[in-house]
Amino acid sequence: MHRITRYLRLYFLIEAQYIKARMQYRADFIISSIGMFFSSLATLGIFWILFGSITELAGWNFMEMVFIYAFYMIAISPMQIIFDHFWQLRYHVTEGTFLKYYFRPLNMMFYYISEMFDLKGLTQLAAGIVLLVYASIQLNIQWTIARVMLLLASLFSASLVQIAVVVSASCAAFWVMNSWPVLSLAWKLREFSPYPMSIFDGAFRVLFTYVIPIGFVAFYPSQIFLRPEQVSPLAYASPLVGIGLFALAYRIWTLGVNSYTGTGS
Amino acid sequence: MSLIQIKDLNKHFNVLNRREGLGGAFLDLFSGDYNIVRAVDGVSFDIEAGEMIGYIGPNGAGKSTTIKMMTGILKPSSGAILVNGFPPHANRIRQAQIMGVVFGQRTQLWWDLPVIESFKILKDIYRVDQKTFDDHMGLFNELVGLKQLYKQQVRTLSLGQRMLCDITASFLHNPQVVFLDEPTIGLDISVKAKMRTVIKELNQTRNTTIILTTHDLGDVEALCRRIIIIDKGKVLFDGDVKKVNALFGAYRTLKVQVNDFDESTLKALAGQMIQHFGTNNGISISEVEKHWTDITIDQARTPLADVLSFVMTNFPVHDVRIVEISMENVVQKVYDGALS
Ligand SMILES: Nc1ncnc2c1ncn2[C@@H]1O[C@H](COP(=O)(O)OP(=O)(O)O)[C@@H](O)[C@H]1O
Ligand SMILES: [Mg+2]
């Protein structure tokens, strides 16, 4: 417990400084936030066009899709905001700048992620929340305290799935020279997560459900709130999937860190 | 008990002979085509608290690899290593608390933050109490004028300023041992001199053990009493720096660029030197860089000025430089038995 408060304190100390430094480049912050806002709405535009010609996608209507997408936007935000530094891991590993993360008396993953805080991700998070509220009013979803708690828990574990996928993919850099293909695959897969898994044919559905389970980033957990009466049992497995995957990703990270030998000289 | 104890330490890297392309990368996964690099090969030494050691050798000698094992980044392939009684690799977090590390030009400060904020974050990370913090910041300010840099972002510092900040920062938490890996690389003479004073002061006022790697003999001459020379992963010499100085202090390398240089030029140079200065002239000649001929001279036997004027009058010399003896030359001379 003492350790957790110490780490939290350090995190806020570092991030507060970091945000202060960033705020000196206000134009940069505003422009990248606007960019983030529109790029996250782009997928919504695709839905809009799609639903101009059809009324349902694999049995899900437009507003339900909006809800799933809003869930997705919130669920990927912690990855974007807190774990953003992982996209750069491969540079640190090949350039040898990764060495410094060993030298502090801190958990290495903590130290590593604390060095980056992506402010523009907050725009995405805010947009996601607004959209989720809007969609759930339109869909007439009844919120009770218990269901709100369930929503938070589902969002938390969905975030862990997203984080685990990116962390594991980035760790490829510890073993292969050019890990970009692995990382870009993880990036591309992410774009499939806000769609109903039933639109994918057999092999992909199995892949996205059991192998690289991005279905758990938005689709399966959203079902609990959209169609509680016909939820697949998979939806309730999502906390397990989230925690399990994150534990696995952390293990991969630890193995990578221990086997890294630097670049020489 | 010695602060650092190293016995028969080895680090061997298996370097894969890689294949081309994605298919090659896949095949590599199952490949057994390795080269073994013996980066550290049977090294033993003990270091006492408070010592300042010059750990020197040419590029690729194994200096950084040894430091990586002492700091717990790398696990030894075999052999024993204890720092303050513990094997570093198995106790990374605890060991980090008692060590300071500066690795060459790679800063460990927060790139986008003002200098002072980096120090404040370090204060929190290492749980340095306010009084110690204030004392140390005062000392650092005296040594390097740190206060003037407080508000500046780390990214805007010059290389010299940044290295000074990094070095003082590594002493902030009063570590028992500080590892400085090539702290003077890439710095110009005046900054180098400043750096040396700072390191010396910190070692004396705090009585901190310092292990300094460098391939600049001048650093060692200025700072260390004990020197460990390593090459190809093996210790060549471990002892008093005076002994080394007595031998190499007198050496200078004269670098000359001769017009229309070809293979015969080296031979001609060597031959004429012997004719003119005798066989026991303390002069050796080699081509180290392209177009530059290195003439290393033991000034105890032949004055540099004589060699210079001889070369100038007898060869079409285009350009000349005089440098301290290079690490490669020192190592060659140690192999040739200079220190035994
Ligand atoms: N991670 C690594 N993988 C393979 N070889 C390495 C690695 N690190 C160092 N080496 C090799 O080990 C030798 C010693 O390197 P190093 O300790 O960095 O030398 P120095 O610091 O004395 O210049 C060199 O030949 C170097 O190429
Ligand atoms: Mg080195």
Side-chain angles (χ1 to χ4, degrees):
Chain A
M1 206 54 216
H2 177 72
R3 206 159 126 215
I4 295 175
T5 49
R6 172 165 179 255
Y7 276 108
L8 274 178
R9 194 184 121 80
L10 250 178
Y11 191 76
F12 286 120
L13 177 77
I14 297 171
E15 263 41 72
Q17 286 309 325
Y18 191 77
I19 291 169
K20 222 161 82 187
R22 268 294 107 109
M23 282 304 180
Q24 290 172 354
Y25 308 95
R26 202 162 302 158
D28 177 77
F29 167 65
I30 292 171
I31 292 167
S32 62
S33 294
I34 293 173
M36 188 75 183
F37 184 73
F38 282 106
S39 76
S40 45
L41 290 187
T43 309
L44 219 50
I46 295 175
F47 290 169
W48 190 276
I49 296 165
L50 206 61
F51 281 91
S53 47
I54 56 172
T55 51
E56 285 191 341
L57 183 63
W60 300 85
N61 66 35
F62 176 68
M63 203 43 74
E64 285 174 318
M65 289 296 291
V66 171
F67 183 93
I68 297 173
Y69 187 65
F71 189 99
Y72 161 83
M73 278 171 78
I74 301 172
I76 63 169
S77 292
M79 172 64 227
Q80 183 79 37
I81 300 167
I82 301 170
F83 283 77
D84 200 37
H85 206 193
F86 269 94
W87 293 107
Q88 266 117 60
L89 182 62
R90 62 199 189 95
Y91 297 111
H92 287 298
V93 164
T94 48
E95 315 249 310
T97 41
F98 189 70
L99 280 186
K100 73 169 188 183
Y101 299 102
Y102 290 83
F103 299 143
R104 306 282 180 223
L106 294 174
N107 173 285
M108 278 180 73
M109 189 186 272
F110 169 82
Y111 182 24
Y112 187 72
I113 61 171
S114 75
E115 271 207 347
M116 190 84 91
F117 186 85
D118 187 39
L119 277 175
K120 65 182 189 302
L122 291 173
T123 332
Q124 175 178 280
L125 178 63
I129 293 171
V130 170
L131 209 56
L132 191 87
V133 171
Y134 171 76
S136 62
I137 293 171
Q138 293 291 315
L139 289 167
N140 214 359
I141 296 175
Q142 302 302 313
W143 291 106
T144 59
I145 302 259
R147 290 187 75 71
V148 171
M149 299 302 275
L150 190 60
L151 177 71
L152 292 178
S154 309
L155 281 169
F156 178 74
S157 52
S159 316
L160 286 182
V161 173
Q162 176 64 36
I163 291 167
V165 170
V166 177
V167 168
S168 316
S170 328
C171 284
F174 288 120
W175 294 280
V176 292
M177 289 271 222
N178 179 9
S179 59
W180 175 238
V182 184
L183 208 55
S184 75
L185 181 70
W187 176 252
K188 295 231 173 66
L189 283 181
R190 181 176 107 135
E191 289 164 11
F192 293 119
S193 9
Y195 291 94
M197 289 297 124
S198 37
I199 68 168
F200 301 112
D201 73 17
F204 280 101
R205 199 186 312 165
V206 170
L207 178 74
F208 294 159
T209 306
Y210 299 105
V211 186
I212 309 170
I214 52 165
F216 288 90
V217 173
F219 179 68
Y220 290 123
S222 304
Q223 289 185 338
I224 301 176
F225 308 97
L226 291 173
R227 310 241 175 115
E229 64 290 347
Q230 56 173 81
V231 169
S232 87
L234 280 175
Y236 288 104
S238 64
L240 279 181
V241 175
I243 293 168
L245 273 188
F246 185 78
L248 184 68
Y250 189 79
R251 180 93 191 104
I252 295 175
W253 157 265
T254 310
L255 284 176
V257 160
N258 285 335
S259 69
Y260 180 61
T261 57
T263 48
S265 102
Chain B
M1 190 187 71
S2 307
L3 182 65
I4 297 178
Q5 294 167 287
I6 291 183
K7 187 105 187 76
D8 298 325
L9 188 65
N10 288 296
K11 182 71 202 182
H12 299 170
F13 293 109
N14 288 326
V15 182
L16 197 59
N17 291 322
R18 285 182 192 273
R19 273 168 266 216
E20 295 281 306
L22 196 62
F26 183 73
L27 288 176
D28 281 347
L29 290 175
F30 310 100
S31 158
D33 186 13
Y34 287 106
N35 272 341
I36 295 182
V37 177
R38 294 171 200 280
V40 171
D41 195 12
V43 164
S44 303
F45 54 75
D46 285 357
I47 291 172
E48 305 303 322
E51 271 194 289
M52 171 132 65
I53 306 284
Y55 194 54
I56 70 167
N59 271 331
K63 305 182 292 295
S64 298
T65 305
T66 318
I67 299 236
K68 284 177 192 166
M69 288 190 280
M70 292 194 270
T71 50
I73 298 177
L74 288 184
K75 194 177 173 179
S77 304
S78 66
I81 174 164
L82 294 178
V83 176
N84 199 31
F86 297 99
H89 188 76
N91 306 270
R92 190 190 62 82
I93 290 191
R94 178 181 29 202
Q95 295 296 97
Q97 183 71 36
I98 61 149
M99 294 186 313
V101 188
V102 177
F103 248 91
Q105 303 181 354
R106 297 168 187 149
T107 186
Q108 292 169 49
L109 304 174
W110 282 260
W111 195 242
D112 295 310
L113 303 189
V115 170
I116 183 67
E117 300 304 339
S118 279
F119 280 87
K120 284 188 188 158
I121 294 171
L122 290 175
K123 170 178 182 285
D124 253 57
I125 289 180
Y126 291 99
R127 289 177 262 210
V128 177
D129 62 71
Q130 191 64 43
K131 182 170 178 326
T132 315
F133 182 75
D134 293 339
D135 285 354
H136 281 189
M137 294 309 273
L139 173 67
F140 301 161
N141 187 40
E142 264 169 50
L143 289 175
V144 299
L146 201 59
K147 266 214 177 83
Q148 289 155 25
L149 305 177
Y150 275 5
K151 292 269 170 320
Q152 223 171 310
Q153 275 190 332
V154 171
R155 62 178 339 137
T156 66
L157 299 176
S158 70
L159 176 62
Q161 289 171 326
R162 210 176 72 206
M163 287 303 299
L164 287 168
C165 288
D166 257 301
I167 288 180
T168 47
S170 70
F171 284 82
L172 182 72
H173 57 290
N174 229 346
Q176 296 188 21
V177 53
V178 170
F179 298 94
L180 304 173
D181 193 5
E182 308 267 6
T184 57
I185 199 165
L187 299 179
D188 58 46
I189 305 274
S190 66
V191 186
K192 232 180 218 183
K194 176 96 195 162
M195 189 77 71
R196 289 172 186 168
T197 342
V198 170
I199 295 172
K200 192 165 201 156
E201 282 290 320
L202 287 168
N203 167 252
Q204 282 167 0
T205 48
R206 313 259 25 122
N207 197 32
T208 311
T209 312
I210 296 180
I211 298 177
L212 170 78
T213 83
T214 176
H215 58 260
D216 183 338
L217 269 178
D219 291 340
V220 181
E221 231 176 304
L223 291 172
C224 309
R225 231 176 270 150
R226 177 174 161 203
I227 182 173
I228 300 176
I229 305 179
I230 172 173
D231 185 46
K232 300 199 178 86
K234 291 190 156 69
V235 172
L236 298 187
F237 175 80
D238 178 352
D240 197 326
V241 75
K242 284 203 199 90
K243 200 169 166 196
V244 179
N245 267 341
L247 264 172
F248 301 118
Y251 279 89
R252 289 292 177 276
T253 299
L254 181 64
K255 286 175 158 301
V256 295
Q257 207 175 26
V258 179
N259 286 331
D260 309 319
F261 179 90
D262 60 36
E263 308 227 322
S264 64
T265 321
L266 272 185
K267 278 212 185 89
L269 264 170
Q272 293 194 28
M273 293 282 180
I274 290 175
Q275 262 182 15
H276 193 81
F277 296 107
T279 40
N280 184 21
N281 56 18
I283 299 173
S284 56
I285 295 171
S286 58
E287 188 196 8
V288 176
E289 285 168 70
K290 208 165 192 305
H291 304 308
W292 284 93
T293 309
D294 280 21
I295 307 174
T296 304
I297 304 151
D298 177 4
Q299 296 192 93
R301 282 181 273 179
T302 310
L304 183 129
D306 293 0
V307 179
L308 182 58
S309 71
F310 177 76
V311 174
M312 296 289 278
T313 46
N314 292 289
F315 290 87
V317 172
H318 178 68
D319 198 359
V320 171
R321 286 193 328 230
I322 297 170
V323 294
E324 311 242 313
I325 186 171
S326 73
M327 189 57 68
E328 284 75 14
N329 271 317
V330 171
V331 165
Q332 190 50 50
K333 293 201 182 324
V334 175
Y335 276 126
D336 294 345
L339 284 170
S340 50

